[in-house]
Amino acid sequence: MEPQVRLRQIIFFFLLVLTVLEHSSSARILSISKPDRHDIAASARWLVSQNSWGVLSTLSIEHEGAPFGNVVSYSDGLPEKGNGIPYFYLTILDPTTRNALKDSRASFAISESPIGTCKRDPMDPTCSKLTLTGKLLQVDEGSKEEEVAKEALFTKHPEMMDWPKEHDFRFFKLEIINIFLINWYGGAKSITVDEYLRYKAIKVASSFL
Amino acid sequence: MEPQVRLRQIIFFFLLVLTVLEHSSSARILSISKPDRHDIAASARWLVSQNSWGVLSTLSIEHEGAPFGNVVSYSDGLPEKGNGIPYFYLTILDPTTRNALKDSRASFAISESPIGTCKRDPMDPTCSKLTLTGKLLQVDEGSKEEEVAKEALFTKHPEMMDWPKEHDFRFFKLEIINIFLINWYGGAKSITVDEYLRYKAIKVASSFL
């Protein structure tokens, strides 16, 4: 083989390895780039659709009403069909579930940081963050919405399908009352729940799964 | 130049690029590997020392006592000298700060996910998570502890030094009352605040900064 040809082959191979490594290093391939920061609804929906986990806070029964944040996985819907509502798959063994069944007041916080698009400190206002405040409600068993929640969660988090049945996992949703979004300097952005929910479906590439 | 030599140089160059890329893709170089899961105190302290952000939950004044989670940066101390206490640099413009000054009950939740060592879903019990519940208190101005908090935060988050002085940033700490740790199957692990705080200082390599 000609040395020049071999050289080209080696360069090609390394470029291939570089590409694979770059993509595997981020949690997912970002097919939807970060929206313009002036489009508040798009920014909020993008954060929700691109993330896969956050912190769900409820009022603690065990600790006399103290706020109890808990790391959980979630999903707002199937790729290309996200509805902006965070669905959860929670077991009654989890204090968060027991708290919510007693007092549904809750909030769900996510950061842009895990998406991999933040260039500065996670608390710098250019690194977006979102807190949805509302009610953590169990989705009615056997309802159409339970099917939506199940499909949303099991496609984004396929491991959930194997979680132990005897742990009494149930589908929950956050009924959103207030939206707190910071996606630039100047404090929290103004956005109503209606503006947020009516935002056109976010197209999340299948590579997201 | 000999083709063989040129070939070796190209291979060396690509390996160098690969190495740089691999290291830059993870948030930091992990010098302290994940502790044995049976060492509960080590696991909790490792999570706190290796992470740089989490969700701080307080009781919302605006939303009638609902739990309000907020993404924040934190630090528990200088490398090799972390004390396990999460310190925060919060402005009075932030609802979390105003909530805490009215009712100090709070919790702080972090995940192993951002560290990059989770092999499964962020909610799988093998992907550790920690919630510290307690009181979010302002560190006394001019005190020795304020110096500790300042050094801890400004070394781990150097950008904080440039945050606008007119925003009235103050140093806060979480006085821990309860520890909720999941680092394996079988539910939350039992660990007292004393066991957690007395754990020997975690040595975090300077590469962490």
Side-chain angles (χ1 to χ4, degrees), chain B residues 59-208:
Chain B
L59 298 170
S60 172
I61 297 171
E62 257 177 277
H63 305 293
E64 295 161 6
F68 180 75
N70 200 351
V71 172
V72 293
S73 292
Y74 77 100
S75 173
D76 81 319
L78 277 177
E80 304 196 25
K81 286 176 186 167
N83 60 10
I85 300 167
Y87 294 109
F88 309 94
Y89 193 48
L90 305 172
T91 155
I92 199 73
L93 300 175
D94 186 330
T96 297
T97 314
R98 296 194 297 269
N99 294 342
L101 291 175
K102 190 183 172 224
D103 187 331
S104 65
R105 285 178 290 174
S107 74
F108 186 55
I110 54 175
S111 165
E112 186 186 330
S113 188
I115 301 173
T117 43
C118 286
K119 292 182 179 68
R120 307 192 66 169
D121 193 273
M123 205 168 144
D124 187 274
T126 60
C127 185
S128 312
K129 61 179 181 177
L130 177 75
T131 303
L132 303 171
T133 305
K135 290 180 180 181
L136 184 60
L137 304 171
Q138 188 175 339
V139 177
D140 288 340
E141 284 183 47
S143 67
K144 204 177 163 188
E145 189 171 20
E146 196 189 37
E147 278 307 307
V148 172
K150 189 177 177 178
E151 208 168 2
L153 285 158
F154 287 6
T155 49
K156 201 165 179 180
H157 303 276
E159 286 183 29
M160 285 179 175
M161 286 185 271
D162 300 323
W163 289 359
K165 296 288 172 275
E166 66 272 21
H167 283 191
D168 192 8
F169 279 97
R170 304 168 185 193
F171 296 98
F172 281 78
K173 67 170 172 181
L174 189 76
E175 192 179 271
I176 306 167
I177 294 173
N178 184 270
I179 299 167
F180 173 86
L181 172 75
I182 290 193
N183 72 340
W184 197 254
Y185 305 101
K189 297 302 179 292
S190 177
I191 175 175
T192 66
V193 177
D194 193 52
E195 286 163 347
Y196 170 85
L197 290 177
R198 287 165 67 98
Y199 182 75
K200 67 178 166 53
I202 303 270
K203 289 184 190 292
V204 181
S206 56
S207 59
F208 182 42

Side-chain angles (χ1 to χ4, degrees), chain A residues 77-180:
Chain A
L78 278 176
E80 305 196 24
K81 286 176 187 168
N83 61 11
I85 300 167
Y87 294 109
F88 309 94
Y89 193 48
L90 305 173
T91 156
I92 198 74
L93 300 175
D94 186 330
T96 298
T97 315
R98 296 195 298 270
N99 295 342
L101 290 175
K102 190 183 171 224
D103 187 331
S104 65
R105 285 178 291 173
S107 74
F108 185 54
I110 54 175
S111 165
E112 187 187 330
S113 189
I115 301 173
T117 43
C118 286
K119 291 180 180 69
R120 308 193 65 170
D121 192 273
M123 205 168 144
D124 186 274
T126 60
C127 185
S128 311
K129 61 179 180 177
L130 178 73
T131 303
L132 303 171
T133 305
K135 290 181 178 178
L136 184 59
L137 303 172
Q138 188 175 340
V139 177
D140 288 340
E141 284 184 47
S143 67
K144 204 178 163 188
E145 189 170 21
E146 196 188 37
E147 278 307 306
V148 172
K150 189 177 178 178
E151 208 168 2
L153 285 157
F154 286 7
T155 48
K156 201 165 178 179
H157 303 277
E159 286 183 29
M160 286 181 176
M161 287 185 272
D162 300 323
W163 288 359
K165 296 288 172 276
E166 66 273 21
H167 283 192
D168 192 9
F169 278 98
R170 304 168 186 193
F171 296 98
F172 282 79
K173 67 170 172 182
L174 189 77
E175 192 179 272
I176 307 166
I177 294 173
N178 184 270
I179 299 167
F180 173 87

Side-chain angles (χ1 to χ4, degrees), chain B residues 13-52:
Chain B
F13 171 75
F14 274 107
L15 284 175
L16 188 77
V17 171
L18 270 178
T19 310
V20 169
L21 198 87
E22 199 173 24
H23 281 170
S24 68
S25 71
S26 65
R28 62 200 69 108
I29 299 160
L30 285 176
S31 54
I32 306 289
S33 59
K34 190 175 171 177
D36 185 288
R37 66 182 171 86
H38 298 100
D39 192 341
I40 308 300
S43 297
R45 292 290 294 272
W46 175 79
L47 270 176
V48 171
S49 75
Q50 294 286 304
N51 259 307
S52 64

